[in-house]
Amino acid sequence: MTAYEMVVGLEVHVELATRTKLFCACSAAFGGAPNTHCCPVCSGMPGALPVLNRRVVDLAIATGLALGCRITRHTQFDRKNYFYPDLPKAYQISQLYMPICRGGSVQIDVGGARKDVRIHEIHMEEDAGKLVHDPWTDRTMADYNRCGVPLLEIVSEPDMRSPEEVVAYLEKLRATLQYLGVSDCKMQEGSLRADVNLSVRPVGSEALGTRTEMKNLNSFKAIARAVAGEFRRQVELLQDGRAVRQETRRWDDNKDTSFAMRSKEDAQDYRYFPEPDLPPLVIDEAWIERVRASLPELAEAKIARFQRDMGLSERDARALTAEKPLCDLFEQTAACCARPKDAANWVMGEVRAALKARGLAPDALTLAPEALARIVLLTAQGSLARDGAREALQAAMDASPDAPLDVDAFARAHGLLLARDDGACERAVREALQAFPAEVARCRAGEEKLVGFLVGQAMKRMPGRGDPRRVSELLREALRAPDA
Amino acid sequence: MKVTRELVDSVAHLARLDLDAAEREAALRDLTRILDYVDALSALDTDGVQPMSHALRLQNVLRADEPAPSMAAQDVLQNAPERKDGCFLAPRAVE
C-alpha cells in the first residue's frame, strides 16, 4: 500500500495588543457590553474615514524583524468585498498585493530535529464583529465591538509534515509574539486563531495534492487532532480511489471529524482593489531601526543567557522559554532566591503539574514569584519537605495576586517546618532502635531495606515534622556505631 | 474586455442588486461604454510607469494609539431595523 505524508501550512490570525482599533480611536479591549466600542468608522457609517493606527505598524514591523522577514518599504491596504452580517461596511480592509512583511521563518525542534518553517507573508487587517445565533428568534445577533480590532495574519509556507510540527510551530510563534508584546495570544478569547491548510501526497512525491482548509480550531490540542483526523480522511479517500475536493471544512472537536462548509465552486469573488480611503504607507530605514532598537529579548537570546549565566541545560532553558508566563515566573523567582536551577525545576515540575491539575493555562497563573522563591529556598535549606512544600505551593497559587502568601507564616501555622533540631531527631532515632532490636540486628547484618522501616518508625516518634533526610543520616550513623 | 449579459448578472449578484430586464440592458450598455473609454489607455506605452492607486500626493497619514470615546450604544443601534439585548438582529447567518 502507498505510504502518504501530510503537507501542512497555517494561517494564524493574532489580535494585536493595542489600546485602540486599527482605523479608529474606539477601544480594542476584549468584551464590553455589546456595541459599546463602536463609532461611525468601525460601524460602517457613510462618509466616515479610516486613519491608520501607528502602533499597529510598529507591532507588524517588530514581528517581521523577530521572524527574519523583509519589511515592505512601500505598502498599502486593499479592500476585500463581501456581504456578511459580521462586517457592517460590507468590506474588510486588508492587504493583498503588498503585505507589510515577506519571507522569514520560525525555527522548531521536534524529536531532536531542528527545522525552519518558512513564512510566506504577514499582513495587517481588521477583525470582524461577533455573531451569535439566537435560538429564540432563530436569527443572528451581531455585536460590533471586535469589528476593526487590528489583526496580523501570519501565513506560513506548506512546510509542516506532522501534528507535532504544527504544534511546535504554533508554540514557538505564540512565545515569540508574547515576548514581543505584540499579542496576548489567548486562544480562549480568540486573540490567536489558526486555519489549517492540509493536503496529502505519496511519500517521495514532490507534487502537492488537493488541499482543504480547516477552520474553527480553538486549542492546540484541537489543532493536533484536526490535523491527524483530516490526514486520515484524505488518505482514506485516495485509497478508495476517490478524489479530495478543494473546500473549506469546519472541525468538530466533539465528533473528532470535519464537515464541508463551502467548496471551490461557490467560492467568493472578493473583488479586491486598492483601498481608496487610505493613502500609501512608506516605511523608511529610520522607522525600522527605531523598532529594532525597541525589541525586547527574545526566546533564543534568553535560552543562551540561561545557559551562560544561570548554568541551566539547553533542554531546560528551551522548555522554560516555551511559554512566556512560566518564563517570567522563573526569571522573577530566580532573581528573588538566587537559586536558578532549583527555581527552574520548581517551575517546570511542581508549578506546571499544579496548573495542569487545575486545568489552567499558563497565562491564568497568578502565583507570586516572591512566594515561590521562599518555597524554593526553604526546601533547598531542608526546612520544608517535598509534601509540605507542595502544600505551601497550592496555598500560594490560591492566594490572590494582591495579597501573596506569607510562606513562612503558612508553614508555621500548618506545622510544615521540619524539625532541624538534632536533639529531637536523635531522641526519636534512639527510641525507634530500642523498640525494634530484632530489626536493628538484621539491619546491621546487611538487610538494607529495613533501614527505611526504621526511619519511618523514628519519624513517627518526632514531636513535630521530622526532616527525613536528617533522621535518616542520624539513624545510619547510629546503626554503624556498635554500642547503640 | 467584452461585457456580456452573464458578466452583468454576476456583478449584479455580487453587489446584491436586483435588476429588471431594462436595467440589465442599460447596465450592459453603460459598462461597455465605460470600459471602451478606459481602453483608450491601452494605446499608451506604460512600461516602467509605477501603478498609482491614489490621486493625492499623500502618504503615512497616521494617528497615535490613544482611545477616544465611542458612540452611545443607542446611537449605534439607531438604524437597526431590529435589535435584541444591545445587538443588531440579522437574518440567520450562523450554523
Side-chain angles (χ1 to χ4, degrees):
Chain A
M1 197 180 288
T2 319
Y4 288 91
E5 71 170 357
M6 64 173 74
V7 177
V8 185
L10 293 186
E11 289 166 25
V12 173
H13 288 87
V14 282
E15 278 185 355
L16 299 180
T18 55
R19 301 172 70 197
T20 67
K21 292 185 178 183
L22 182 50
F23 298 119
C24 63
C26 287
S27 165
F30 176 76
N35 296 306
T36 53
H37 299 172
C38 301
C39 75
V41 173
C42 58
S43 59
M45 302 289 180
L49 281 175
V51 185
L52 179 58
N53 183 342
R54 178 188 295 274
R55 177 99 182 119
V56 172
V57 184
D58 288 341
L59 295 178
I61 295 173
T63 305
L65 291 176
L67 299 180
C69 306
R70 296 186 302 280
I71 310 297
T72 310
R73 298 313 176 89
H74 192 108
T75 176
Q76 64 183 32
F77 286 89
D78 300 296
R79 189 178 285 199
K80 176 182 182 178
N81 299 278
Y82 67 93
F83 286 103
Y84 200 65
D86 65 359
L87 205 61
K89 292 201 301 289
Y91 57 85
Q92 179 196 33
I93 303 179
S94 180
Q95 293 193 294
L96 178 72
Y97 301 109
M98 299 178 193
I100 187 159
C101 307
R102 287 194 174 101
S105 64
V106 171
Q107 193 182 72
I108 58 170
D109 288 274
V110 173
R114 196 157 292 179
K115 167 173 181 173
D116 282 328
V117 175
R118 291 168 300 153
I119 301 292
H120 177 72
E121 64 164 67
I122 302 175
H123 60 258
M124 302 177 279
E125 63 182 28
E126 53 181 344
D127 209 346
K130 190 175 82 179
L131 300 182
V132 177
H133 179 63
D134 178 32
W136 288 274
T137 56
D138 194 30
R139 283 194 287 172
T140 294
M141 292 167 71
D143 167 11
Y144 296 121
N145 283 351
R146 209 182 60 187
C147 214
V149 166
L151 295 175
L152 286 186
E153 179 173 339
I154 302 166
V155 183
S156 84
E157 296 289 356
D159 284 351
M160 288 157 275
R161 298 287 177 271
S162 69
E164 294 75 25
E165 288 187 3
V166 170
V167 171
Y169 168 79
L170 285 167
E171 283 176 345
K172 187 68 178 288
L173 187 60
R174 178 179 63 180
T176 305
L177 295 168
Q178 287 177 335
Y179 284 117
L180 286 171
V182 160
S183 171
D184 61 17
C185 296
K186 289 186 181 170
M187 286 194 96
Q188 65 276 21
E189 291 182 3
S191 59
L192 186 147
R193 315 193 284 266
D195 298 337
V196 173
N197 288 299
L198 186 149
S199 63
V200 301
R201 65 183 176 195
V203 173
S205 158
E206 284 296 312
L208 292 171
T210 305
R211 69 182 164 84
T212 61
E213 180 178 1
M214 263 186 305
K215 294 185 178 288
N216 195 37
L217 301 163
N218 43 30
S219 71
F220 287 0
K221 269 188 200 149
I223 290 169
R225 277 196 296 270
V227 166
E230 180 61 12
F231 175 66
R232 254 189 336 264
R233 190 189 73 85
Q234 291 192 14
V235 169
E236 278 167 20
L237 278 176
L238 297 178
Q239 285 173 340
D240 284 359
R242 290 182 291 164
V244 175
R245 271 157 47 103
Q246 183 170 348
E247 60 194 1
T248 303
R249 301 180 67 86
R250 189 173 59 87
W251 175 252
D252 187 329
D253 206 36
N254 295 319
K255 299 203 174 85
D256 208 34
T257 187
S258 63
F259 297 93
M261 283 170 74
R262 48 175 188 257
S263 66
K264 190 82 165 93
E265 289 89 87
D266 45 56
Q268 306 204 36
D269 176 355
Y270 293 118
R271 292 152 297 147
Y272 278 98
F273 58 86
E275 172 56 53
D277 288 345
L278 288 162
L281 180 64
V282 178
I283 300 169
D284 60 15
E285 196 64 36
W287 192 345
I288 294 174
E289 287 316 310
R290 209 160 51 235
V291 174
R292 197 193 302 277
S294 72
L295 289 181
E297 185 186 33
L298 294 173
E300 288 303 323
K302 278 186 194 288
I303 290 166
R305 180 166 60 83
F306 290 172
Q307 294 178 80
R308 189 183 61 234
D309 299 350
M310 300 187 172
L312 300 188
S313 67
E314 190 193 344
R315 185 158 165 247
D316 285 352
R318 279 200 185 279
L320 273 171
T321 48
E323 295 189 88
K324 182 168 186 287
L326 292 179
C327 188
D328 289 346
L329 176 66
F330 159 70
E331 288 199 69
Q332 290 159 11
T333 305
C336 286
C337 68
R339 303 187 72 96
K341 277 188 178 168
D342 291 331
N345 289 337
W346 270 88
V347 171
M348 299 314 295
E350 298 293 342
V351 174
R352 220 164 43 169
L355 274 175
K356 202 170 172 194
R358 289 164 185 234
L360 289 178
D363 52 24
L365 189 69
T366 55
L367 176 58
E370 301 77 17
L372 180 59
R374 199 63 200 142
I375 295 172
V376 171
L377 210 56
L378 290 174
T379 311
Q381 289 167 351
S383 302
L384 270 176
R386 209 59 169 167
D387 56 345
R390 278 198 191 111
E391 204 176 319
L393 177 67
Q394 295 296 339
M397 288 178 72
D398 290 336
S400 109
D402 326 316
L405 182 76
D406 179 338
V407 174
D408 294 81
F410 178 85
R412 260 196 308 280
H414 290 77
L416 302 178
L417 290 175
L418 297 178
R420 295 282 298 159
D421 156 23
D422 275 0
C425 291
E426 277 165 13
R427 256 194 313 281
V429 167
R430 211 163 35 240
E431 282 170 29
L433 296 187
Q434 279 161 5
F436 296 94
E439 282 75 5
V440 170
R442 282 162 64 195
C443 254
R444 285 193 169 133
E447 259 189 78
E448 186 64 19
K449 63 173 188 281
L450 276 171
V451 175
F453 167 77
L454 290 172
V455 170
Q457 289 301 322
M459 294 288 286
K460 272 191 196 164
R461 286 165 172 77
M462 296 286 293
R465 286 203 185 212
D467 173 359
R469 260 186 295 176
R470 189 66 193 134
V471 168
S472 174
E473 276 166 27
L474 289 170
L475 190 117
R476 282 172 191 280
E477 271 173 36
L479 285 172
R480 274 196 298 275
D483 55 338
Chain B
M1 182 177 176
K2 173 112 177 74
V3 180
T4 62
R5 287 196 168 70
E6 291 70 36
L7 185 65
V8 170
D9 288 349
S10 155
V11 170
H13 170 71
L14 286 170
R16 301 295 184 272
L17 293 175
D18 187 12
L19 303 182
D20 64 25
E23 286 167 331
R24 287 167 68 200
E25 288 309 310
L28 178 66
R29 205 167 50 239
D30 292 346
L31 285 174
T32 301
R33 285 182 59 200
I34 291 165
L35 289 183
D36 284 350
Y37 176 72
V38 175
D39 257 349
L41 288 177
S42 308
L44 301 174
D45 177 10
T46 54
D47 281 357
V49 178
Q50 281 284 338
M52 186 182 84
S53 56
H54 294 79
L56 300 174
R57 287 189 170 275
L58 277 177
Q59 62 185 40
N60 295 15
V61 178
L62 297 149
R63 63 181 175 82
D65 186 28
E66 298 289 343
S70 297
M71 283 162 73
Q74 70 262 27
D75 293 338
V76 176
L77 288 162
Q78 197 173 295
N79 294 331
E82 286 180 276
R83 66 200 74 164
K84 185 181 173 183
D85 301 339
C87 291
F88 291 78
L89 211 50
R92 181 174 173 158
V94 279
E95 292 149 67

